[in-house]
Amino acid sequence: QVVILLYLIEMDSSLLMTIPTGVGMVIALWKCQRGAGLKFVKFSAGEREKKAWYQSVFGVFGYELRATRLRAAADNTSESGSNENDLAALTEEMDQIATSVLGKYFLLPLVTTYAIYSLMKENHSGWYSWFITTASSFVYAIGFVLMTPQLFLNYKLKSVAHLPWRVLGYRFVNTFIDDLFAFIIRMPTMARMSCFRDDVV
């Protein structure tokens, strides 16, 4: 969300795109904090040796960033029934297959090719502009890849999740309005293409 917001600002997009993206970023950060229960926890003597590499920044001050609610949820999941565990394991396996296959053979070559093409052929105001454009293309591509694991799961189970007709109708109208606004509002081409990701999936 942060990268997309910076990209929209850099490309001088319409305020109808930039303001909702900024509000969505703040809401997403708040949801991450509420859902994961992120807290700074002081290291004890035994934990200081086991800290992960990404905790080294906070480790300088003797703290680590810990997702307390996620750890509690993981402990509760281990005590649940075997059927739920089997379905969760299958879902996780499909997620890993989808993200690894599409990430290796689709995402990485596509983003690398676009980054080189953008550097050689397109005009940028500076290195920051090129970096933000490349980073946003990576984020948009990841967004597409993360929408596909459900397709792998549906193929594996030979079934689809039940969706009430009212919810289906709401999603159809929502998608139609998104597509309509993609043509009306001034926005970068990549942002316009990203509006059609859910249509393709």
Side-chain angles (χ1 to χ4, degrees), residues 174-190:
N174 189 29
T175 302
F176 177 75
I177 291 171
D178 281 349
D179 296 348
L180 187 64
F181 271 83
F183 290 106
I184 295 173
I185 298 175
R186 187 179 81 252
M187 64 177 75
T189 306
M190 268 196 300

Side-chain angles (χ1 to χ4, degrees), residues 37-146:
L38 298 173
K39 289 183 181 176
F40 286 106
V41 181
K42 214 166 195 180
F43 278 121
S44 64
E47 289 178 327
R48 199 173 287 271
E49 299 168 4
K50 299 187 290 184
K51 69 178 180 178
W53 62 270
Y54 55 84
Q55 296 286 7
S56 58
V57 175
F58 306 117
V60 172
F61 304 103
Y63 287 89
E64 75 167 330
L65 187 63
R66 193 176 285 179
T68 53
R69 286 195 183 137
L70 288 180
R71 287 190 179 190
D75 293 341
N76 291 338
T77 307
S78 61
E79 298 170 3
S80 61
S82 60
N83 288 339
E84 291 178 5
N85 285 340
D86 290 345
L87 186 58
L90 181 62
T91 304
E92 189 173 345
E93 180 189 351
M94 291 299 106
D95 284 352
Q96 287 175 353
I97 290 172
T99 50
S100 64
V101 168
L102 288 173
K104 270 188 215 169
Y105 302 113
F106 173 75
L107 177 65
L108 194 59
L110 187 69
V111 172
T112 306
T113 306
Y114 177 75
I116 295 169
Y117 172 81
S118 177
L119 184 62
M120 306 276 288
K121 299 285 185 184
E122 293 181 354
N123 294 324
H124 297 283
S125 57
W127 286 106
Y128 170 77
S129 176
W130 174 79
F131 175 76
I132 281 296
T133 304
T134 305
S136 63
S137 70
F138 182 71
V139 169
Y140 283 131
I142 283 181
F144 177 75
V145 168
L146 292 179

Side-chain angles (χ1 to χ4, degrees), residues 146-166:
L146 292 179
M147 291 176 77
T148 54
Q150 187 63 45
L151 298 177
F152 282 78
L153 187 62
N154 291 348
Y155 177 76
K156 184 80 172 177
L157 295 175
K158 300 289 188 274
S159 174
V160 294
H162 172 68
L163 195 65
W165 68 269
R166 286 182 181 170

